Each structure stands twice: as structure tokens, then as C-alpha cells.
């Protein structure tokens, strides 16, 4: 398909099939790989069709930076998600992650950032909360007595407790069965939302009337929202406008202020979705990154030894790590950044959409076209990284072994839609990682094969299940 504006052409792409477009020509369970193959043929900016929906895929640092930063005002919208309406929420109540770019999203984001700061983001109080949770995780690891175990859901629970303490005003014990079930459901929602079927249902919303299809795709997400509703209902029973305990209370205060002029921004529906967004985003990416971190450290014990040595030299084994230590731990900091780069947790970011006609790398992209941002193409660009497909912490060290940040390091994306939890995630990654490696040496269990280091893709890229042994140092 060609469209022109002032002589510029629509991005090239594969020939599409009638009715289905390119829907059946890519593997939605390995979408980053499919896009990588297409970019080799059609270039860093290419077009793609899902049914009759036009999409553009952006690859490479220059094109991604132009799209997310230079043209941020033009490309910060989100495509509509017809299936969300089936779940019974009010029109335009879309939370913060997938909300359309406009007043509602701006108001919700501004309120969320302000409230997170009020509850400790960027302050010593939240740092202490993260450090305390890291100690709780260490205690849970210690109960394993050096025997093989899967750290997956212990890490999930620990990381989730940080955002839960802000949003819900409470943390959950690691043996809380209800909360463990919710963490499993959250992972299931990522899996069911990935693949061909959800794309087909978004293209043909009439399929939401087929009960078993709707349950298959959206039951986990509905269960998460039910969990949010229960917690919010408990807050409403004990709500006191004079005492704001957490994010939910702060949102309820805003609802009270606007009750005579109800808005979609501060409504019960938007609170449910926004709380769910914060719960999911504040749990999944950071916990997955830490799981990659443990995996890489058992696969590269020499690097783990260097981390141990640096932590022992700078912090010792008795004092808890603090964020003030980060500047004095250049190798450990480089390792954490390399875990993020190599793990490549959210390879395609979240879908964007143009809010007006624009140009990307000289190609015309009309208003209303969805945009996939291929972050993998930036984090593993062979022209920007010395060893893009290897775990190599020296990517973030200069000749004098000082830490250096690279421009092409953008795991949190960039621009107006940059992850609003980036500051919290960076703190959590540093404090959890240094606390764990101050206390333990991690190894592959005896008589077990070397764990796989290829990713499992389900919107996020996570390690395949593995076991570790955690031995006290």
C-alpha cells in the first residue's frame, strides 16, 4: 500500500492477504523475531497489516528515538482495545497504561506520579521499605537450607509487595494463598493476551459473544479486576478523607471532590483499572528482571564472584546496601544494566498510535496508524553494542572501569509514554540485587543440566523455569 504526502511514501512492507492482511504471516508467540526478520528485508521502518488495520514497525536507535522523543506529540496515542469494553467498564475509562492520549490520560498520569511521590517515591522512606522487603526475601531464601528451589514466585511476591504497600497500603506474606493465586493469574493473563486468538478477537469484536473464547482470553484479566474491586470495597468501608493511607484512598478523595461533577478520570471504573495497571506493571517487569539476574549469575559464576568482591569491599556483609552505594559499585551497576539489556524484558514496548499525520525517517505515517516499537532492535543492535547477543557487563564500563550509561539503553522506552515507574524499578533492582548477593552465593543445583538462557515470550520475555541453590556466604 502506498500513500503520499508531499512526495513522501508510506513505509514498505510484506504483501498482505485479502481480509486477513499479514495476520497469518507472523508468529505471535515469537513476534520480536518475526519483526526482526521483516526489518532485514524491508528496512528499519516497515508497514504491516492485521486484517484491515494498518500498523508500522519501527526498528533501530535512530528511528526509535525519532518516534518516541522527537515526534512524541504525534505518536503517543494508543490503539483502541474493543475487548475492554466487553468487560463492562465505562466508556473512556482506560486506566493509565493503555489509555488514549488526551486529557484523561494526562490527568491520571499527573495524579498518579504526584501520589506516588507523596507515598515515598524518590524519598528515603520508600528506600527503607524496599530494603526491608529485600531482607524478607533473603529470609525466605534462607529457609530453603541450600536445597534446590525455583525462586520465581518468591521474587514476584517480594517485588509486588513494594507497589502493594503504596497502592493497597499493605504487603502480603509469601505463604498467602490468595495472593499467590493472584500472582499466578497475572502471569496467565500475559500468556492468554499473547498469540493469534486475541488479535483475531480484537479485529472481529463479534467473537466476544462466543463464551468459551471470551473466557479463554479474558478470564485472567477479569479475575485481576475482581481482586482490585474487593480491595477497593474494603477501603470504601473504612475510608476517612482526613486520613489518606495509600493510593486507593488518595483516588477516593479525588472522587469525593468531583462527585458533583463526575468525570471519567476520577471514577470507580478508572480506579479499578489504574490500580490493576500499577499492580501489574509494578510487579511483572522488575521481578522478571531479577529472575534473569539470578539466572545470568549462576550461568556466569566468574561475574558473580566479581560482584561479591565489589560488594564486600564497598559495603561489607553486615551493613544493608543503600542507594548511596550505587556510585561506588560500578561493576555491580554495570551487571544490573546488562541484565536489563540482555534480558530485554518488554521487547516491543506497548503499542503506540499516531494522533495526526506525521513522518518517521522520511516515511509518511497517517493519523490513526498503530506503531510497534521494536526495543530489541535497539538493545541488541550490533552497530551500537560490542557483543549484542552475549552477557557482557563491560558494555557499561569505560576503559578505567567506571560506570557509563549508553544512549541506546532504553528498556523503559522513552518520550511521553516512558514507564512512570522507572525510578522505582531502578531502586528496586539495585537494592534487591545487592542485598541478595551480599548474603548468598547462587549456584546451579548438582546433577541438574545448565538452565536455558533463551527467553519465553508472552508480551514480556522471561526465563524458562529453573532452580537454584542459595548458600549463605
Amino acid at each position: 500500500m502506498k500513500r503520499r504526502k508531499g512526495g513522501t511514501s508510506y513505509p514498505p512492507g510484506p504483501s498482505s492477504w485479502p481480509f486477513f492482511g499479514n495476520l497469518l504471516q507472523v508468529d505471535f508467540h515469537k513476534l520480536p523475531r518475526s519483526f526482526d526478520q521483516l526489518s532485514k528485508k524491508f528496512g528499519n521502518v516497515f508497514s504491516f497489516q492485521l486484517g484491515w488495520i494498518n500498523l508500522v514497525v519501527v526498528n533501530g536507535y535512530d528511528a526509535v528515538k525519532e518516534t518516541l522523543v522527537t515526534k512524541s506529540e504525534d505518536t503517543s496515542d494508543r490503539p483502541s482495545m474493543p475487548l475492554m469494553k466487553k468487560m463492562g467498564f465505562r466508556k473512556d475509562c482506560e486506566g493509565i497504561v493503555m489509555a488514549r492520549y488526551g486529557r484523561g490520560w494526562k490527568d491520571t498520569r499527573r495524579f498518579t506520579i504526584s501520589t506516588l511521590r507523596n507515598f515515598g517515591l524518590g524519598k528515603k522512606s520508600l528506600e527503607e521499605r524496599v530494603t526491608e522487603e529485600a531482607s524478607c526475601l533473603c529470609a525466605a531464601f534462607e529457609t530453603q537450607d541450600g536445597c534446590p528451589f525455583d525462586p520465581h514466585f518468591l521474587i514476584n511476591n517480594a517485588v509486588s509487595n513494594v507497589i502493594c504497600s503504596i497502592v493497597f497500603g499493605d504487603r502480603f506474606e509469601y505463604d498467602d494463598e490468595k495472593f499467590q493465586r493472584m500472582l499466578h493469574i497475572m502471569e496467565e493473563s500475559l500468556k492468554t493476551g499473547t498469540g493469534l486468538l486475541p488479535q483475531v478477537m480484537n479485529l472481529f469484536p463479534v467473537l466476544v459473544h462466543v463464551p468459551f473464547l471470551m473466557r479463554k482470553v479474558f478470564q485472567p484479566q477479569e479475575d485481576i479486576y475482581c481482586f482490585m474491586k474487593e480491595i477497593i470495597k474494603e477501603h470504601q468501608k473504612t475510608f476517612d478523607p482526613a486520613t489518606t493511607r495509600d493510593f486507593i484512598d488518595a483516588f477516593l478523595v479525588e472522587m469525593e471532590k468531583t462527585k458533583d461533577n463526575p468525570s471519567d478520570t476520577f471514577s470507580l471504573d478508572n480506579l479499578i483499572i489504574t490500580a490493576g495497571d500499577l499492580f501489574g506493571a509494578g510487579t511483572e517487569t522488575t521481578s522478571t528482571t531479577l529472575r534473569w539476574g539470578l539466572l545470568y549469575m549462576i550461568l556466569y559464576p566468574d561475574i558473580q564472584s566479581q560482584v561479591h568482591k565489589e560488594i564486600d569491599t564497598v559495603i561489607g556483609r553486615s551493613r544493608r546496601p543503600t542507594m548511596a552505594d550505587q556510585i561506588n559499585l560500578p561493576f555491580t551497576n554495570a551487571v544490573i544494566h546488562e541484565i536489563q539489556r540482555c534480558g530485554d524484558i518488554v521487547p516491543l514496548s506497548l503499542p503506540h498510535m499516531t494522533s495526526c499525520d506525521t513522518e518517521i525517517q522520511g516515511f509518511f505515517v497517517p493519523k490513526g496508524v498503530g506503531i510497534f516499537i521494536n526495543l530489541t532492535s535497539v538493545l541488541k543492535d550490533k552497530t551500537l553494542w560490542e557483543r549484542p547477543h552475549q552477557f557482557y557487563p563491560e558494555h557499561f564500563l569505560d576503559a578505567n572501569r567506571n560506570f557509563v550509561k549508553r544512549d541506546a539503553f532504553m528498556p523503559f522506552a522513552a518520550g511521553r509514554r516512558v514507564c512512570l515507574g522507572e525510578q522505582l524499578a531502578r531502586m528496586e533492582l539495585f537494592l534487591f540485587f545487592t542485598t541478595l548477593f551480599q548474603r548468598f552465593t547462587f549456584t546451579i543445583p548438582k546433577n541438574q543440566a545448565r538452565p536455558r538462557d533463551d527467553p519465553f515470550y508472552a508480551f514480556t520475555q522471561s526465563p524458562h523455569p529453573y532452580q537454584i541453590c542459595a548458600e549463605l556466604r
Side-chain angles (χ1 to χ4, degrees), residues 373-395:
I373 306 295
N374 189 353
L375 292 180
T376 300
S377 68
V378 180
L379 294 173
K380 297 184 178 176
D381 187 333
K382 63 182 179 182
T383 67
L384 299 173
W385 305 95
E386 293 82 356
R387 303 181 186 180
H389 299 290
Q390 295 181 29
F391 187 78
Y392 186 63
E394 283 73 10
H395 283 138

mmCIF file of all heavy atoms in Angstrom, residues 373-395:
data_model
loop_
_atom_site.group_PDB
_atom_site.id
_atom_site.type_symbol
_atom_site.label_atom_id
_atom_site.label_comp_id
_atom_site.label_asym_id
_atom_site.label_seq_id
_atom_site.Cartn_x
_atom_site.Cartn_y
_atom_site.Cartn_z
ATOM 1 N N ILE A 373 7.027 -0.458 18.599
ATOM 2 C CA ILE A 373 8.394 -0.012 18.846
ATOM 3 C C ILE A 373 9.238 -1.239 19.176
ATOM 4 O O ILE A 373 9.055 -1.861 20.216
ATOM 5 C CB ILE A 373 8.464 0.989 20.008
ATOM 6 C CG1 ILE A 373 7.503 2.164 19.775
ATOM 7 C CG2 ILE A 373 9.893 1.469 20.217
ATOM 8 C CD1 ILE A 373 7.844 3.022 18.592
ATOM 9 N N ASN A 374 10.160 -1.587 18.292
ATOM 10 C CA ASN A 374 10.992 -2.775 18.495
ATOM 11 C C ASN A 374 12.214 -2.413 19.337
ATOM 12 O O ASN A 374 13.271 -2.068 18.816
ATOM 13 C CB ASN A 374 11.418 -3.350 17.139
ATOM 14 C CG ASN A 374 12.107 -4.694 17.280
ATOM 15 O OD1 ASN A 374 12.385 -5.150 18.392
ATOM 16 N ND2 ASN A 374 12.392 -5.340 16.160
ATOM 17 N N LEU A 375 12.059 -2.487 20.679
ATOM 18 C CA LEU A 375 13.164 -2.139 21.570
ATOM 19 C C LEU A 375 14.319 -3.124 21.457
ATOM 20 O O LEU A 375 15.479 -2.766 21.709
ATOM 21 C CB LEU A 375 12.665 -2.067 23.019
ATOM 22 C CG LEU A 375 11.699 -0.922 23.350
ATOM 23 C CD1 LEU A 375 11.293 -0.984 24.815
ATOM 24 C CD2 LEU A 375 12.321 0.431 23.038
ATOM 25 N N THR A 376 14.025 -4.373 21.080
ATOM 26 C CA THR A 376 15.095 -5.357 20.889
ATOM 27 C C THR A 376 16.091 -4.866 19.852
ATOM 28 O O THR A 376 17.305 -5.053 20.006
ATOM 29 C CB THR A 376 14.511 -6.703 20.433
ATOM 30 O OG1 THR A 376 13.603 -7.180 21.430
ATOM 31 C CG2 THR A 376 15.609 -7.743 20.229
ATOM 32 N N SER A 377 15.593 -4.228 18.816
ATOM 33 C CA SER A 377 16.468 -3.760 17.744
ATOM 34 C C SER A 377 17.419 -2.671 18.224
ATOM 35 O O SER A 377 18.442 -2.403 17.579
ATOM 36 C CB SER A 377 15.631 -3.236 16.564
ATOM 37 O OG SER A 377 14.938 -2.049 16.929
ATOM 38 N N VAL A 378 17.092 -2.041 19.354
ATOM 39 C CA VAL A 378 17.961 -1.023 19.939
ATOM 40 C C VAL A 378 18.901 -1.656 20.963
ATOM 41 O O VAL A 378 20.112 -1.431 20.939
ATOM 42 C CB VAL A 378 17.130 0.094 20.608
ATOM 43 C CG1 VAL A 378 18.046 1.149 21.217
ATOM 44 C CG2 VAL A 378 16.177 0.725 19.605
ATOM 45 N N LEU A 379 18.330 -2.459 21.849
ATOM 46 C CA LEU A 379 19.122 -3.056 22.927
ATOM 47 C C LEU A 379 20.127 -4.094 22.417
ATOM 48 O O LEU A 379 21.095 -4.406 23.118
ATOM 49 C CB LEU A 379 18.191 -3.709 23.952
ATOM 50 C CG LEU A 379 17.294 -2.748 24.741
ATOM 51 C CD1 LEU A 379 16.308 -3.525 25.596
ATOM 52 C CD2 LEU A 379 18.123 -1.814 25.603
ATOM 53 N N LYS A 380 19.898 -4.604 21.204
ATOM 54 C CA LYS A 380 20.807 -5.631 20.678
ATOM 55 C C LYS A 380 21.282 -5.286 19.267
ATOM 56 O O LYS A 380 21.551 -6.173 18.449
ATOM 57 C CB LYS A 380 20.121 -6.996 20.720
ATOM 58 C CG LYS A 380 19.810 -7.415 22.160
ATOM 59 C CD LYS A 380 19.209 -8.784 22.301
ATOM 60 C CE LYS A 380 18.998 -9.100 23.782
ATOM 61 N NZ LYS A 380 18.318 -10.390 24.003
ATOM 62 N N ASP A 381 21.424 -3.996 19.023
ATOM 63 C CA ASP A 381 21.914 -3.517 17.728
ATOM 64 C C ASP A 381 23.419 -3.751 17.637
ATOM 65 O O ASP A 381 24.187 -3.232 18.444
ATOM 66 C CB ASP A 381 21.599 -2.026 17.598
ATOM 67 C CG ASP A 381 21.911 -1.467 16.215
ATOM 68 O OD1 ASP A 381 22.805 -2.018 15.543
ATOM 69 O OD2 ASP A 381 21.275 -0.478 15.822
ATOM 70 N N LYS A 382 23.844 -4.532 16.650
ATOM 71 C CA LYS A 382 25.256 -4.890 16.530
ATOM 72 C C LYS A 382 26.140 -3.695 16.187
ATOM 73 O O LYS A 382 27.360 -3.764 16.357
ATOM 74 C CB LYS A 382 25.436 -5.995 15.492
ATOM 75 C CG LYS A 382 25.045 -5.613 14.070
ATOM 76 C CD LYS A 382 25.206 -6.791 13.119
ATOM 77 C CE LYS A 382 24.799 -6.420 11.702
ATOM 78 N NZ LYS A 382 24.918 -7.589 10.782
ATOM 79 N N THR A 383 25.548 -2.595 15.713
ATOM 80 C CA THR A 383 26.351 -1.406 15.413
ATOM 81 C C THR A 383 26.550 -0.535 16.648
ATOM 82 O O THR A 383 27.354 0.403 16.632
ATOM 83 C CB THR A 383 25.699 -0.559 14.305
ATOM 84 O OG1 THR A 383 24.472 -0.004 14.797
ATOM 85 C CG2 THR A 383 25.418 -1.408 13.064
ATOM 86 N N LEU A 384 25.813 -0.823 17.730
ATOM 87 C CA LEU A 384 25.878 0.002 18.936
ATOM 88 C C LEU A 384 26.463 -0.719 20.143
ATOM 89 O O LEU A 384 26.884 -0.071 21.106
ATOM 90 C CB LEU A 384 24.467 0.505 19.287
ATOM 91 C CG LEU A 384 23.779 1.374 18.235
ATOM 92 C CD1 LEU A 384 22.349 1.653 18.653
ATOM 93 C CD2 LEU A 384 24.536 2.677 18.048
ATOM 94 N N TRP A 385 26.458 -2.047 20.105
ATOM 95 C CA TRP A 385 26.954 -2.834 21.232
ATOM 96 C C TRP A 385 28.051 -3.777 20.739
ATOM 97 O O TRP A 385 27.903 -4.417 19.699
ATOM 98 C CB TRP A 385 25.821 -3.641 21.869
ATOM 99 C CG TRP A 385 24.652 -2.813 22.276
ATOM 100 C CD1 TRP A 385 23.517 -2.572 21.557
ATOM 101 C CD2 TRP A 385 24.503 -2.080 23.503
ATOM 102 N NE1 TRP A 385 22.671 -1.755 22.247
ATOM 103 C CE2 TRP A 385 23.243 -1.428 23.449
ATOM 104 C CE3 TRP A 385 25.301 -1.926 24.637
ATOM 105 C CZ2 TRP A 385 22.779 -0.642 24.499
ATOM 106 C CZ3 TRP A 385 24.833 -1.130 25.676
ATOM 107 C CH2 TRP A 385 23.593 -0.503 25.606
ATOM 108 N N GLU A 386 29.125 -3.881 21.523
ATOM 109 C CA GLU A 386 30.270 -4.689 21.096
ATOM 110 C C GLU A 386 29.903 -6.171 20.969
ATOM 111 O O GLU A 386 30.319 -6.843 20.028
ATOM 112 C CB GLU A 386 31.426 -4.524 22.091
ATOM 113 C CG GLU A 386 32.037 -3.129 22.129
ATOM 114 C CD GLU A 386 31.249 -2.150 22.992
ATOM 115 O OE1 GLU A 386 30.179 -2.529 23.514
ATOM 116 O OE2 GLU A 386 31.704 -1.001 23.135
ATOM 117 N N ARG A 387 29.132 -6.660 21.927
ATOM 118 C CA ARG A 387 28.723 -8.071 21.911
ATOM 119 C C ARG A 387 27.216 -8.133 22.184
ATOM 120 O O ARG A 387 26.787 -8.509 23.278
ATOM 121 C CB ARG A 387 29.498 -8.871 22.969
ATOM 122 C CG ARG A 387 31.015 -8.797 22.802
ATOM 123 C CD ARG A 387 31.728 -9.619 23.862
ATOM 124 N NE ARG A 387 33.182 -9.442 23.784
ATOM 125 C CZ ARG A 387 34.057 -10.039 24.591
ATOM 126 N NH1 ARG A 387 33.622 -10.864 25.546
ATOM 127 N NH2 ARG A 387 35.356 -9.821 24.466
ATOM 128 N N PRO A 388 26.403 -7.783 21.211
ATOM 129 C CA PRO A 388 24.966 -7.594 21.445
ATOM 130 C C PRO A 388 24.223 -8.831 21.929
ATOM 131 O O PRO A 388 23.225 -8.714 22.640
ATOM 132 C CB PRO A 388 24.439 -7.135 20.086
ATOM 133 C CG PRO A 388 25.457 -7.600 19.087
ATOM 134 C CD PRO A 388 26.761 -7.524 19.801
ATOM 135 N N HIS A 389 24.694 -10.017 21.565
ATOM 136 C CA HIS A 389 23.970 -11.238 21.928
ATOM 137 C C HIS A 389 24.692 -12.028 23.012
ATOM 138 O O HIS A 389 24.409 -13.215 23.214
ATOM 139 C CB HIS A 389 23.735 -12.095 20.687
ATOM 140 C CG HIS A 389 22.901 -11.405 19.648
ATOM 141 N ND1 HIS A 389 21.564 -11.150 19.810
ATOM 142 C CD2 HIS A 389 23.240 -10.876 18.431
ATOM 143 C CE1 HIS A 389 21.092 -10.518 18.753
ATOM 144 N NE2 HIS A 389 22.090 -10.341 17.910
ATOM 145 N N GLN A 390 25.605 -11.381 23.707
ATOM 146 C CA GLN A 390 26.291 -12.009 24.823
ATOM 147 C C GLN A 390 26.059 -11.202 26.092
ATOM 148 O O GLN A 390 25.784 -10.001 26.034
ATOM 149 C CB GLN A 390 27.799 -12.097 24.559
ATOM 150 C CG GLN A 390 28.191 -12.996 23.405
ATOM 151 C CD GLN A 390 29.699 -13.049 23.222
ATOM 152 O OE1 GLN A 390 30.461 -12.902 24.174
ATOM 153 N NE2 GLN A 390 30.134 -13.249 21.994
ATOM 154 N N PHE A 391 26.189 -11.878 27.232
ATOM 155 C CA PHE A 391 26.097 -11.183 28.512
ATOM 156 C C PHE A 391 27.477 -10.611 28.820
ATOM 157 O O PHE A 391 28.418 -11.330 29.124
ATOM 158 C CB PHE A 391 25.656 -12.140 29.624
ATOM 159 C CG PHE A 391 25.381 -11.444 30.918
ATOM 160 C CD1 PHE A 391 24.196 -10.760 31.112
ATOM 161 C CD2 PHE A 391 26.318 -11.458 31.951
ATOM 162 C CE1 PHE A 391 23.942 -10.110 32.306
ATOM 163 C CE2 PHE A 391 26.067 -10.802 33.145
ATOM 164 C CZ PHE A 391 24.877 -10.131 33.331
ATOM 165 N N TYR A 392 27.585 -9.286 28.716
ATOM 166 C CA TYR A 392 28.896 -8.631 28.735
ATOM 167 C C TYR A 392 28.781 -7.309 29.499
ATOM 168 O O TYR A 392 28.516 -6.259 28.900
ATOM 169 C CB TYR A 392 29.353 -8.400 27.290
ATOM 170 C CG TYR A 392 30.745 -7.863 27.117
ATOM 171 C CD1 TYR A 392 31.859 -8.580 27.523
ATOM 172 C CD2 TYR A 392 30.943 -6.623 26.491
ATOM 173 C CE1 TYR A 392 33.144 -8.091 27.335
ATOM 174 C CE2 TYR A 392 32.231 -6.122 26.289
ATOM 175 C CZ TYR A 392 33.318 -6.868 26.719
ATOM 176 O OH TYR A 392 34.596 -6.369 26.522
ATOM 177 N N PRO A 393 28.969 -7.310 30.834
ATOM 178 C CA PRO A 393 28.813 -6.091 31.640
ATOM 179 C C PRO A 393 29.708 -4.941 31.202
ATOM 180 O O PRO A 393 29.399 -3.765 31.471
ATOM 181 C CB PRO A 393 29.174 -6.556 33.053
ATOM 182 C CG PRO A 393 28.905 -8.029 33.054
ATOM 183 C CD PRO A 393 29.263 -8.485 31.670
ATOM 184 N N GLU A 394 30.820 -5.272 30.498
ATOM 185 C CA GLU A 394 31.726 -4.217 30.043
ATOM 186 C C GLU A 394 31.053 -3.253 29.060
ATOM 187 O O GLU A 394 31.607 -2.184 28.774
ATOM 188 C CB GLU A 394 32.966 -4.840 29.412
ATOM 189 C CG GLU A 394 33.979 -5.382 30.416
ATOM 190 C CD GLU A 394 33.539 -6.676 31.098
ATOM 191 O OE1 GLU A 394 32.510 -7.275 30.658
ATOM 192 O OE2 GLU A 394 34.198 -7.108 32.059
ATOM 193 N N HIS A 395 29.879 -3.592 28.563
ATOM 194 C CA HIS A 395 29.116 -2.637 27.759
ATOM 195 C C HIS A 395 28.904 -1.329 28.516
ATOM 196 O O HIS A 395 28.718 -0.268 27.910
ATOM 197 C CB HIS A 395 27.746 -3.220 27.386
ATOM 198 C CG HIS A 395 27.795 -4.223 26.276
ATOM 199 N ND1 HIS A 395 27.064 -5.399 26.290
ATOM 200 C CD2 HIS A 395 28.480 -4.242 25.106
ATOM 201 C CE1 HIS A 395 27.292 -6.084 25.184
ATOM 202 N NE2 HIS A 395 28.148 -5.400 24.447
#
